[in-house]
Amino acid sequence: MEAVSQLFANGSVLFAVLLIAAMAGLYSERAGVVNIAIDGMMIIGALVYALLGKALSQYGNGMQIIALLIATIVGGAFALLHGFASITLKAQQVISGTALNLLATGLGLFFVSIPALAAGNMIQTGFSTIGIDRAQIINIFLIIAIILAIFTFVFFRFTKTGIRYAGCGENPNAIDAAGINVIKTRYKAVVISGCLAGLAGAMFTHYVSGQFRGDVQGQGYIALAIMIFGQWRIQYITLGAVLFSFLIALAGTLWRFTGWNIADPSNQLLKILPFVLALVTMVAFSKYSKIPKASGIPFDKSLR
């Protein structure tokens, strides 16, 4: 029973992480900007959160709310690098995202190699998950993710602003003709994407026992697979996040049921299974993907 509770507790935290990270990609691509730098933005959010946790956790576990907010803001600021390259300079967006992933990984590994900050190449946040129930299955991260998902559904489905926002990723020249600033909207989209990714990265540290080891174990790439699986629709993205999160959480707890210790380096099959599934998902759904028509295409006002 304890192992089952732990499975659902870990799964709920990871569900929140993957859902919010997938929404980061959703907000960016629905406005026309491809963002494969979600993983890098998550790393920055996790790094900032870990450093703040090391400094603030002594003042109480509630200080994690402040740390979450700051990690979210820093994630948005870091995303401006992607916005400048892909929107202002009209650079190839996949290359820009890849560069940010490499930069973030380098920064993460640099900070965990500083002895004054990290012990054993690891920064301990000092925070513990704030749960509603004893098993922490219903926790603050799950609640935040659900609220954001509901808001996203209402925003894109029922609001005029959301429809215009999505129009920037479908037909930006028509939106420009209607008097809406496409460049400004896309910058907002990239910043929102960075904020969500930074928040997801901060939350991820709780999934790995409040530790930051220089990366987020590739969860940003899995979030991209979930976004593609969900066809850029929040309701299907949520279902994908449920599937992937509990598959990954199961890989970390199955040994409790079977006695099969997957922590043994010689037995890592279940750990790689989510990434195999992510790859298969992206290949299988790529043919049928209804990607926003202008996603990845720099806006050219002269084409109106």
Side-chain angles (χ1 to χ4, degrees), residues 104-142:
T105 301
L107 287 172
L109 293 175
F110 170 74
F111 275 95
V112 297
S113 67
I114 301 176
L117 294 176
N121 293 326
M122 172 192 71
I123 301 176
Q124 188 73 38
T125 67
F127 291 133
S128 59
T129 304
I130 299 176
I132 305 301
D133 60 325
R134 179 178 297 180
Q136 297 184 336
I137 296 173
I138 302 175
N139 51 69
I140 186 174
F141 307 137
L142 179 63

Side-chain angles (χ1 to χ4, degrees), residues 88-295:
T88 301
L89 300 182
K90 299 183 180 180
Q92 218 289 337
Q93 295 171 11
V94 173
I95 295 176
S96 172
T98 302
L100 259 66
N101 283 336
L102 294 174
L103 173 60
T105 301
L107 287 172
L109 293 175
F110 170 74
F111 275 95
V112 297
S113 67
I114 301 176
L117 294 176
N121 293 326
M122 172 192 71
I123 301 176
Q124 188 73 38
T125 67
F127 291 133
S128 59
T129 304
I130 299 176
I132 305 301
D133 60 325
R134 179 178 297 180
Q136 297 184 336
I137 296 173
I138 302 175
N139 51 69
I140 186 174
F141 307 137
L142 179 63
I143 293 172
I144 291 173
I146 292 174
I147 291 173
L148 288 173
I150 293 173
F151 171 82
T152 299
F153 177 78
V154 173
F155 177 71
F156 283 113
R157 180 63 66 89
F158 298 109
T159 69
K160 184 181 296 185
T161 302
I163 294 172
R164 290 174 174 173
Y165 182 104
C168 291
E170 294 289 345
N171 193 338
N173 293 100
I175 293 296
D176 180 63
I180 299 170
N181 192 318
V182 175
I183 298 297
K184 184 182 293 185
T185 301
R186 288 189 170 184
Y187 259 106
K188 289 179 181 177
V190 171
V191 171
I192 292 171
S193 179
C195 287
L196 290 172
L199 175 62
M203 291 179 175
F204 180 76
T205 61
H206 285 261
Y207 176 70
V208 287
S209 304
Q211 301 170 356
F212 175 70
R213 296 180 177 271
D215 61 16
V216 290
Q217 299 181 1
Q219 300 305 311
Y221 298 105
I222 292 181
L224 282 174
I226 292 172
M227 182 189 68
I228 295 172
F229 170 85
Q231 296 294 291
W232 293 264
R233 298 293 183 270
I234 186 60
Q235 58 270 37
Y236 303 125
I237 287 173
T238 302
L239 293 176
V242 171
L243 172 64
F244 276 84
S245 62
F246 280 94
L247 179 62
I248 297 172
L250 181 63
T253 56
L254 187 60
W255 66 272
R256 292 177 180 269
F257 298 92
T258 63
W260 184 29
N261 188 359
I262 64 169
D264 185 346
S266 65
N267 217 338
Q268 296 288 323
L269 178 61
L270 282 180
K271 283 191 174 183
I272 69 171
L273 187 58
F275 297 95
V276 174
L277 180 60
L279 181 61
V280 171
T281 298
M282 295 178 76
V283 172
F285 283 86
S286 61
K287 183 177 179 180
Y288 307 100
S289 293
K290 298 180 180 178
I291 186 172
K293 295 178 181 178
S295 182

Side-chain angles (χ1 to χ4, degrees), residues 35-50:
N35 185 10
I36 68 165
I38 295 173
D39 199 76
M41 295 172 187
M42 287 179 67
I43 291 174
I44 294 300
L47 170 61
V48 171
Y49 185 75

